[in-house]
Amino acid sequence: MKKELSLYVHIPYCNSKCEYCNFVSTVSTDSEKLKYVELLKREIVLRANEYNKLYTISTIYIGGGTPSCLPLGSIKDIFQTIYKYFTVKNSAEITMELNPNSVTEEKITEYINSGVNRFSIGLQCVDQHVLLSMGRTHTVDDFDNTISLIRSQGISNISADIMLGYPGQKLKAVQETIDHLVSLNIPHISSYMLSVESGTPLQLMVDKGVKYLPKENDTIKMYQTVLKTLTNAGYNRYEISNFAKPGFICKHNKVYWNRSDYLGLGVAAHSYVAGVRFANTEDIKAYFDCIIGKNKVPVAEANKISKEEMKEEFVMLSLRTADGLDTTAYQKEFGESFLAKNKDKLANFIKGGFLVIDSQGRVKATDSGFLVLNKLILELCS
Ligand SMILES: C[S@@+](CC[C@H](N)C(=O)[O-])C[C@H]1O[C@@H](n2cnc3c(N)ncnc32)[C@H](O)[C@@H]1O
Ligand code: SF4
């Protein structure tokens, strides 16, 4: 029987670049974008030759960048190629990322007709000053209109991204952002703590003292506000940054956290298949040259994961989820007891109220544990 595989497709273009963002994406012309789509289709064929015999596709995620900034027809083109060369399950979850001001009714129709059944939209914050300071070019109205467009075409599986801890962002703005999403009944919310990435305009401004990060305590309060409001509104925190109403957990996300197989297509896309992590080149020109010149997929690096690295990934990824770390699965995979190996550390964390072990032997972070999760993980991996 064929195994399951998830596909991630990277679209490295945006209409403008946000000040905090270091995802691989640039502002470009339609003709460049169309050239990229042609090469991406070639990569799909090359990869399918390798993987289609062994795998069926259970989830697809088109991310970026901003996939919705491709010209009309490109997404359809990409999906037709995927369906032609890969075997995609009828029940596959197919997600596409959108920016609130890069869609039209026609585009949404194209995406849905191409099989997209879940949309993820970046709102970030409802405070227009914060949006401007982030370098975002949309308004809250644009977001609301996008939601209406999607819903009017029958899709309810929608996610919104928000960010916490941006310079100038107040707790009130976070509360209003969450209230807005709850009032719109958006069933899935990803809430990311700002990470100041090196080389971004934001980092430069923070370093120069032009922009100030909120105090750590204020950012924690923002996270607690998100957690409390969403829990009261019937959402479950199924991972530290992800909240869903019942029935709306993202299947593709779970593939990453469960360390299941996924294949990344396109420039800068990462893959994890059969214990090997590999990544395509981040350089669009190198991507073009390699596929056109050599008819080869431009892999920049490939690493067989060592047993020790696998253990660390297991701990790191599972403790971020509400399901926690399955000690039976750990024992089965690594032939050793997680509980015995970390007896003293676990006893301390449990005593401190940061971790619990449930009746099925799962180690789970508590509310206090989620606030210091990186420290707990670091300790348990050392
Ligand atoms: C790949 S982006 C794509 C979404 C889409 N292009 C947009 O911006 O609306 C996915 C999400 O990552 C989050 N993100 C990007 N850079 C971040 C950073 N430096 N720190 C925290 N979150 C970030 C944002 O919430 C963003 O919506
Ligand atoms: S956050 Fe989204 S829209 Fe902004 S630059 Fe990054 S990928 Fe593009």
Short mmCIF file of all heavy atoms in Angstrom, two decimals, residues 8 10-11 13-14 16 18-25 61-68 97-102 120-124 134 136 138 160-164 166 190-197 200 202, ligand 1:
data_model
loop_
_atom_site.label_atom_id
_atom_site.label_comp_id
_atom_site.label_asym_id
_atom_site.label_seq_id
_atom_site.Cartn_x
_atom_site.Cartn_y
_atom_site.Cartn_z
N TYR A 8 4.24 20.73 0.14
CA TYR A 8 4.28 22.17 0.39
C TYR A 8 4.79 22.81 -0.90
O TYR A 8 5.81 22.38 -1.46
CB TYR A 8 5.22 22.51 1.56
CG TYR A 8 5.42 24.01 1.66
CD1 TYR A 8 4.44 24.81 2.23
CD2 TYR A 8 6.55 24.63 1.12
CE1 TYR A 8 4.59 26.21 2.27
CE2 TYR A 8 6.70 26.02 1.16
CZ TYR A 8 5.71 26.79 1.73
OH TYR A 8 5.84 28.15 1.75
N HIS A 10 6.06 26.41 -2.56
CA HIS A 10 6.45 27.78 -2.18
C HIS A 10 6.35 28.74 -3.36
O HIS A 10 6.93 28.51 -4.42
CB HIS A 10 7.89 27.78 -1.64
CG HIS A 10 8.25 29.08 -1.00
ND1 HIS A 10 7.75 29.46 0.23
CD2 HIS A 10 9.01 30.12 -1.41
CE1 HIS A 10 8.20 30.65 0.54
NE2 HIS A 10 8.98 31.08 -0.44
N ILE A 11 5.64 29.85 -3.12
CA ILE A 11 5.53 30.92 -4.13
C ILE A 11 6.30 32.14 -3.59
O ILE A 11 5.84 32.80 -2.65
CB ILE A 11 4.04 31.29 -4.38
CG1 ILE A 11 3.19 30.05 -4.70
CG2 ILE A 11 3.94 32.35 -5.47
CD1 ILE A 11 3.57 29.29 -5.95
N TYR A 13 6.84 35.27 -4.07
CA TYR A 13 6.53 36.64 -4.51
C TYR A 13 5.52 37.29 -3.56
O TYR A 13 4.65 36.61 -3.00
CB TYR A 13 5.94 36.62 -5.93
CG TYR A 13 6.90 36.00 -6.92
CD1 TYR A 13 6.66 34.75 -7.45
CD2 TYR A 13 8.07 36.67 -7.27
CE1 TYR A 13 7.56 34.16 -8.32
CE2 TYR A 13 8.98 36.09 -8.14
CZ TYR A 13 8.72 34.84 -8.67
OH TYR A 13 9.62 34.27 -9.51
N CYS A 14 5.65 38.60 -3.39
CA CYS A 14 4.68 39.39 -2.62
C CYS A 14 4.47 40.70 -3.35
O CYS A 14 5.32 41.12 -4.14
CB CYS A 14 5.23 39.70 -1.22
SG CYS A 14 5.28 38.24 -0.17
N SER A 16 4.35 43.55 -1.79
CA SER A 16 5.30 44.45 -1.13
C SER A 16 5.91 43.65 0.01
O SER A 16 5.38 42.60 0.38
CB SER A 16 4.58 45.69 -0.59
OG SER A 16 3.58 45.26 0.31
N CYS A 18 6.99 43.16 3.86
CA CYS A 18 6.72 43.64 5.22
C CYS A 18 8.04 43.80 5.98
O CYS A 18 9.00 43.06 5.72
CB CYS A 18 5.81 42.68 5.95
SG CYS A 18 4.27 42.36 5.06
N GLU A 19 8.06 44.73 6.92
CA GLU A 19 9.33 45.10 7.55
C GLU A 19 9.95 44.02 8.43
O GLU A 19 11.14 44.02 8.68
CB GLU A 19 9.12 46.37 8.39
CG GLU A 19 8.61 47.49 7.51
CD GLU A 19 8.99 48.86 8.00
OE1 GLU A 19 9.08 49.04 9.22
OE2 GLU A 19 9.18 49.74 7.15
N TYR A 20 9.12 43.09 8.90
CA TYR A 20 9.60 42.07 9.84
C TYR A 20 9.94 40.76 9.16
O TYR A 20 10.45 39.84 9.78
CB TYR A 20 8.49 41.79 10.88
CG TYR A 20 7.18 41.45 10.22
CD1 TYR A 20 6.90 40.17 9.77
CD2 TYR A 20 6.21 42.44 9.98
CE1 TYR A 20 5.70 39.87 9.13
CE2 TYR A 20 5.02 42.14 9.34
CZ TYR A 20 4.78 40.86 8.92
OH TYR A 20 3.61 40.56 8.27
N CYS A 21 9.64 40.64 7.85
CA CYS A 21 9.56 39.32 7.23
C CYS A 21 10.86 38.88 6.56
O CYS A 21 11.43 39.62 5.76
CB CYS A 21 8.44 39.32 6.20
SG CYS A 21 8.25 37.72 5.39
N ASN A 22 11.32 37.70 6.90
CA ASN A 22 12.50 37.17 6.18
C ASN A 22 12.18 35.87 5.44
O ASN A 22 13.08 35.09 5.15
CB ASN A 22 13.71 37.02 7.10
CG ASN A 22 13.63 35.77 7.94
OD1 ASN A 22 12.53 35.25 8.14
ND2 ASN A 22 14.75 35.30 8.44
N PHE A 23 10.90 35.65 5.17
CA PHE A 23 10.54 34.53 4.29
C PHE A 23 11.13 34.80 2.91
O PHE A 23 11.28 35.97 2.53
CB PHE A 23 9.02 34.38 4.18
CG PHE A 23 8.40 33.73 5.39
CD1 PHE A 23 8.06 34.48 6.51
CD2 PHE A 23 8.16 32.37 5.42
CE1 PHE A 23 7.50 33.88 7.63
CE2 PHE A 23 7.59 31.76 6.53
CZ PHE A 23 7.26 32.52 7.64
N VAL A 24 11.43 33.73 2.17
CA VAL A 24 12.02 33.95 0.84
C VAL A 24 10.92 34.43 -0.11
O VAL A 24 10.07 33.65 -0.56
CB VAL A 24 12.68 32.64 0.33
CG1 VAL A 24 13.18 32.83 -1.08
CG2 VAL A 24 13.81 32.25 1.26
N SER A 25 10.89 35.75 -0.34
CA SER A 25 9.90 36.32 -1.26
C SER A 25 10.38 37.69 -1.72
O SER A 25 11.03 38.41 -0.97
CB SER A 25 8.54 36.47 -0.57
OG SER A 25 8.56 37.50 0.37
N TYR A 61 -0.23 22.32 0.76
CA TYR A 61 -0.22 23.68 1.31
C TYR A 61 0.54 24.58 0.35
O TYR A 61 1.70 24.37 0.07
CB TYR A 61 0.48 23.68 2.68
CG TYR A 61 0.22 24.93 3.49
CD1 TYR A 61 -0.70 24.93 4.53
CD2 TYR A 61 0.91 26.12 3.22
CE1 TYR A 61 -0.94 26.08 5.28
CE2 TYR A 61 0.67 27.26 3.96
CZ TYR A 61 -0.25 27.24 4.99
OH TYR A 61 -0.50 28.37 5.72
N ILE A 62 -0.17 25.57 -0.22
CA ILE A 62 0.49 26.52 -1.11
C ILE A 62 0.78 27.77 -0.29
O ILE A 62 -0.15 28.49 0.12
CB ILE A 62 -0.42 26.91 -2.31
CG1 ILE A 62 -1.04 25.68 -2.95
CG2 ILE A 62 0.34 27.76 -3.32
CD1 ILE A 62 -0.34 25.12 -4.11
N GLY A 63 2.06 28.01 -0.02
CA GLY A 63 2.42 29.13 0.85
C GLY A 63 3.46 30.02 0.22
O GLY A 63 3.84 29.86 -0.94
N GLY A 64 3.92 30.98 1.02
CA GLY A 64 4.90 31.90 0.44
C GLY A 64 5.59 32.73 1.48
O GLY A 64 5.70 32.31 2.62
N GLY A 65 5.88 33.91 1.06
CA GLY A 65 5.33 34.66 -0.05
C GLY A 65 3.80 34.79 -0.01
O GLY A 65 3.15 34.51 0.97
N THR A 66 3.32 35.22 -1.11
CA THR A 66 1.88 35.44 -1.28
C THR A 66 1.39 34.74 -2.54
O THR A 66 1.46 35.32 -3.63
CB THR A 66 1.59 36.96 -1.37
OG1 THR A 66 2.13 37.61 -0.22
CG2 THR A 66 0.11 37.24 -1.45
N PRO A 67 0.92 33.49 -2.41
CA PRO A 67 0.48 32.76 -3.61
C PRO A 67 -0.58 33.51 -4.40
O PRO A 67 -0.62 33.43 -5.63
CB PRO A 67 -0.09 31.46 -3.03
CG PRO A 67 0.55 31.32 -1.70
CD PRO A 67 0.84 32.69 -1.19
N SER A 68 -1.43 34.30 -3.68
CA SER A 68 -2.52 34.98 -4.39
C SER A 68 -2.03 36.16 -5.22
O SER A 68 -2.83 36.77 -5.94
CB SER A 68 -3.58 35.46 -3.39
OG SER A 68 -2.98 36.16 -2.32
N GLU A 97 -2.45 30.16 1.10
CA GLU A 97 -2.29 31.43 1.83
C GLU A 97 -2.72 32.59 0.95
O GLU A 97 -2.44 32.61 -0.25
CB GLU A 97 -0.82 31.63 2.21
CG GLU A 97 -0.41 30.85 3.44
CD GLU A 97 1.06 31.03 3.79
OE1 GLU A 97 1.81 31.62 2.99
OE2 GLU A 97 1.46 30.55 4.86
N LEU A 98 -3.38 33.56 1.58
CA LEU A 98 -3.83 34.76 0.85
C LEU A 98 -3.43 36.01 1.61
O LEU A 98 -3.38 35.99 2.84
CB LEU A 98 -5.36 34.81 0.77
CG LEU A 98 -6.16 33.67 0.16
CD1 LEU A 98 -7.64 34.00 0.30
CD2 LEU A 98 -5.80 33.51 -1.30
N ASN A 99 -3.18 37.08 0.90
CA ASN A 99 -3.08 38.39 1.55
C ASN A 99 -4.41 39.10 1.32
O ASN A 99 -4.98 38.99 0.23
CB ASN A 99 -1.96 39.21 0.91
CG ASN A 99 -0.70 39.09 1.71
OD1 ASN A 99 -0.39 38.01 2.18
ND2 ASN A 99 0.02 40.18 1.87
N PRO A 100 -4.89 39.84 2.31
CA PRO A 100 -6.23 40.42 2.19
C PRO A 100 -6.45 41.31 0.98
O PRO A 100 -7.57 41.47 0.53
CB PRO A 100 -6.37 41.24 3.48
CG PRO A 100 -5.42 40.62 4.43
CD PRO A 100 -4.29 40.11 3.62
N ASN A 101 -5.38 41.92 0.44
CA ASN A 101 -5.66 42.81 -0.70
C ASN A 101 -5.11 42.29 -2.03
O ASN A 101 -4.83 43.05 -2.93
CB ASN A 101 -5.16 44.23 -0.43
CG ASN A 101 -3.66 44.24 -0.20
OD1 ASN A 101 -3.05 43.18 -0.12
ND2 ASN A 101 -3.08 45.41 -0.11
N SER A 102 -4.95 40.97 -2.12
CA SER A 102 -4.44 40.47 -3.40
C SER A 102 -5.43 39.51 -4.06
O SER A 102 -5.05 38.74 -4.93
CB SER A 102 -3.09 39.77 -3.19
OG SER A 102 -3.27 38.65 -2.36
N SER A 120 -5.83 30.42 4.33
CA SER A 120 -5.16 31.02 5.48
C SER A 120 -4.81 32.47 5.11
O SER A 120 -4.12 32.71 4.12
CB SER A 120 -3.89 30.23 5.79
OG SER A 120 -3.14 30.89 6.77
N ILE A 121 -5.31 33.41 5.91
CA ILE A 121 -5.19 34.82 5.54
C ILE A 121 -4.47 35.61 6.63
O ILE A 121 -4.78 35.47 7.82
CB ILE A 121 -6.60 35.45 5.34
CG1 ILE A 121 -7.39 34.56 4.37
CG2 ILE A 121 -6.53 36.86 4.80
CD1 ILE A 121 -8.84 34.54 4.67
N GLY A 122 -3.52 36.43 6.22
CA GLY A 122 -2.76 37.22 7.19
C GLY A 122 -3.48 38.50 7.52
O GLY A 122 -3.62 39.38 6.68
N LEU A 123 -3.96 38.60 8.78
CA LEU A 123 -4.55 39.86 9.23
C LEU A 123 -3.51 40.63 10.07
O LEU A 123 -3.32 41.81 9.89
CB LEU A 123 -5.82 39.59 10.06
CG LEU A 123 -6.39 40.81 10.81
CD1 LEU A 123 -6.83 41.90 9.85
CD2 LEU A 123 -7.55 40.41 11.71
N GLN A 124 -2.87 39.95 10.96
CA GLN A 124 -1.82 40.43 11.89
C GLN A 124 -2.37 41.27 13.04
O GLN A 124 -2.11 40.97 14.19
CB GLN A 124 -0.69 41.20 11.16
CG GLN A 124 -0.20 40.63 9.84
CD GLN A 124 0.15 39.15 9.86
OE1 GLN A 124 0.30 38.56 10.90
NE2 GLN A 124 0.26 38.53 8.68
N MET A 134 4.04 47.92 10.24
CA MET A 134 4.56 46.62 9.79
C MET A 134 4.93 46.63 8.30
O MET A 134 5.58 45.73 7.80
CB MET A 134 3.48 45.53 9.97
CG MET A 134 3.24 45.10 11.39
SD MET A 134 1.85 43.92 11.41
CE MET A 134 2.04 43.25 13.07
N ARG A 136 2.43 46.63 6.11
CA ARG A 136 1.31 45.93 5.46
C ARG A 136 0.55 46.94 4.62
O ARG A 136 0.45 48.12 5.00
CB ARG A 136 0.36 45.31 6.50
CG ARG A 136 1.02 44.42 7.52
CD ARG A 136 1.28 43.04 7.08
NE ARG A 136 0.12 42.27 6.68
CZ ARG A 136 0.23 41.03 6.19
NH1 ARG A 136 1.41 40.45 6.05
NH2 ARG A 136 -0.84 40.36 5.84
N HIS A 138 -2.71 46.49 3.50
CA HIS A 138 -4.16 46.26 3.47
C HIS A 138 -4.82 46.85 4.71
O HIS A 138 -4.14 47.19 5.69
CB HIS A 138 -4.45 44.75 3.42
CG HIS A 138 -3.92 44.01 4.61
ND1 HIS A 138 -4.59 43.92 5.80
CD2 HIS A 138 -2.75 43.34 4.79
CE1 HIS A 138 -3.87 43.23 6.65
NE2 HIS A 138 -2.74 42.86 6.08
N ALA A 160 -6.85 32.59 10.22
CA ALA A 160 -6.26 33.94 10.19
C ALA A 160 -4.96 33.93 10.97
O ALA A 160 -4.86 33.30 12.02
CB ALA A 160 -7.24 34.95 10.78
N ASP A 161 -3.95 34.64 10.44
CA ASP A 161 -2.68 34.81 11.17
C ASP A 161 -2.70 36.14 11.89
O ASP A 161 -3.07 37.17 11.30
CB ASP A 161 -1.50 34.91 10.18
CG ASP A 161 -1.18 33.60 9.51
OD1 ASP A 161 -1.59 32.55 10.02
OD2 ASP A 161 -0.49 33.64 8.47
N ILE A 162 -2.27 36.12 13.14
CA ILE A 162 -2.05 37.39 13.84
C ILE A 162 -0.66 37.38 14.47
O ILE A 162 -0.06 36.32 14.65
CB ILE A 162 -3.12 37.66 14.92
CG1 ILE A 162 -3.06 36.63 16.05
CG2 ILE A 162 -4.51 37.69 14.32
CD1 ILE A 162 -3.86 37.06 17.26
N MET A 163 -0.15 38.57 14.78
CA MET A 163 1.17 38.67 15.41
C MET A 163 1.07 39.41 16.72
O MET A 163 0.28 40.35 16.86
CB MET A 163 2.13 39.39 14.46
CG MET A 163 2.72 38.45 13.44
SD MET A 163 3.59 39.32 12.14
CE MET A 163 4.92 39.98 13.05
N LEU A 164 1.90 38.99 17.68
CA LEU A 164 1.92 39.60 19.01
C LEU A 164 3.30 40.17 19.29
O LEU A 164 4.31 39.57 18.92
CB LEU A 164 1.61 38.55 20.09
CG LEU A 164 0.40 37.65 19.89
CD1 LEU A 164 0.27 36.67 21.04
CD2 LEU A 164 -0.86 38.49 19.76
N TYR A 166 4.50 43.34 18.48
CA TYR A 166 5.11 44.24 17.50
C TYR A 166 5.34 45.62 18.15
O TYR A 166 4.54 46.06 18.98
CB TYR A 166 4.19 44.39 16.27
CG TYR A 166 4.99 44.74 15.05
CD1 TYR A 166 5.68 43.75 14.37
CD2 TYR A 166 5.13 46.07 14.61
CE1 TYR A 166 6.47 44.06 13.27
CE2 TYR A 166 5.91 46.38 13.52
CZ TYR A 166 6.58 45.37 12.86
OH TYR A 166 7.37 45.67 11.79
N SER A 190 -3.91 31.38 13.94
CA SER A 190 -2.50 31.19 14.27
C SER A 190 -2.00 32.50 14.86
O SER A 190 -2.12 33.55 14.22
CB SER A 190 -1.67 30.84 13.03
OG SER A 190 -2.14 29.65 12.45
N SER A 191 -1.46 32.42 16.06
CA SER A 191 -1.06 33.62 16.79
C SER A 191 0.44 33.56 17.06
O SER A 191 0.88 32.81 17.91
CB SER A 191 -1.88 33.65 18.08
OG SER A 191 -1.33 34.55 18.97
N TYR A 192 1.22 34.34 16.28
CA TYR A 192 2.67 34.23 16.37
C TYR A 192 3.28 35.35 17.19
O TYR A 192 2.94 36.52 16.99
CB TYR A 192 3.29 34.27 14.97
CG TYR A 192 2.82 33.16 14.08
CD1 TYR A 192 2.05 33.42 12.94
CD2 TYR A 192 3.15 31.84 14.36
CE1 TYR A 192 1.62 32.39 12.12
CE2 TYR A 192 2.72 30.80 13.53
CZ TYR A 192 1.96 31.09 12.42
OH TYR A 192 1.52 30.08 11.61
N MET A 193 4.20 35.00 18.09
CA MET A 193 5.01 36.00 18.79
C MET A 193 5.99 36.56 17.77
O MET A 193 6.64 35.78 17.05
CB MET A 193 5.84 35.34 19.88
CG MET A 193 5.02 34.73 20.98
SD MET A 193 4.64 35.99 22.18
CE MET A 193 4.05 34.97 23.50
N LEU A 194 6.14 37.87 17.73
CA LEU A 194 7.10 38.45 16.79
C LEU A 194 8.50 37.89 17.02
O LEU A 194 8.96 37.79 18.16
CB LEU A 194 7.16 39.98 16.98
CG LEU A 194 8.28 40.67 16.18
CD1 LEU A 194 7.97 40.67 14.69
CD2 LEU A 194 8.50 42.08 16.68
N SER A 195 9.15 37.52 15.93
CA SER A 195 10.55 37.15 16.02
C SER A 195 11.30 38.19 15.17
O SER A 195 10.97 38.39 14.00
CB SER A 195 10.67 35.71 15.49
OG SER A 195 11.92 35.48 14.96
N VAL A 196 12.25 38.87 15.79
CA VAL A 196 13.00 39.91 15.05
C VAL A 196 14.09 39.19 14.26
O VAL A 196 15.06 38.69 14.82
CB VAL A 196 13.59 40.96 16.01
CG1 VAL A 196 14.34 42.03 15.22
CG2 VAL A 196 12.49 41.60 16.83
N GLU A 197 13.89 39.12 12.96
CA GLU A 197 14.79 38.32 12.11
C GLU A 197 15.94 39.16 11.60
O GLU A 197 15.76 40.32 11.23
CB GLU A 197 14.00 37.75 10.92
CG GLU A 197 12.83 36.85 11.30
CD GLU A 197 13.26 35.54 11.91
OE1 GLU A 197 14.44 35.16 11.76
OE2 GLU A 197 12.42 34.88 12.55
N THR A 200 16.35 42.08 8.49
CA THR A 200 15.09 42.74 8.11
C THR A 200 15.17 44.22 8.48
O THR A 200 15.90 44.60 9.41
CB THR A 200 13.89 42.10 8.85
OG1 THR A 200 14.14 42.17 10.27
CG2 THR A 200 13.68 40.66 8.45
N LEU A 202 13.08 45.78 10.14
CA LEU A 202 12.67 45.89 11.54
C LEU A 202 13.87 45.74 12.46
O LEU A 202 14.04 46.51 13.42
CB LEU A 202 11.62 44.82 11.87
CG LEU A 202 11.19 44.81 13.34
CD1 LEU A 202 10.44 46.09 13.70
CD2 LEU A 202 10.34 43.60 13.67
C1 LIG B 1 4.53 33.12 5.21
S1 LIG B 1 3.63 34.34 5.99
C2 LIG B 1 2.47 34.32 4.67
C3 LIG B 1 1.19 34.95 4.80
C4 LIG B 1 0.90 36.08 3.87
N1 LIG B 1 1.95 36.38 2.95
C5 LIG B 1 0.63 37.32 4.71
O1 LIG B 1 1.60 37.92 5.15
O2 LIG B 1 -0.53 37.63 4.91
C6 LIG B 1 2.83 33.49 7.31
C7 LIG B 1 2.71 34.24 8.62
O3 LIG B 1 3.92 34.24 9.32
C8 LIG B 1 3.89 35.27 10.29
N2 LIG B 1 5.22 35.88 10.33
C9 LIG B 1 5.97 36.26 9.29
N3 LIG B 1 7.14 36.79 9.74
C10 LIG B 1 7.11 36.73 11.10
C11 LIG B 1 8.01 37.12 12.13
N4 LIG B 1 9.18 37.68 11.86
N5 LIG B 1 7.65 36.90 13.42
C12 LIG B 1 6.46 36.32 13.71
N6 LIG B 1 5.57 35.94 12.77
C13 LIG B 1 5.88 36.14 11.49
C14 LIG B 1 2.79 36.24 9.88
O4 LIG B 1 1.74 36.18 10.80
C15 LIG B 1 2.37 35.71 8.52
O5 LIG B 1 1.01 35.90 8.29
#
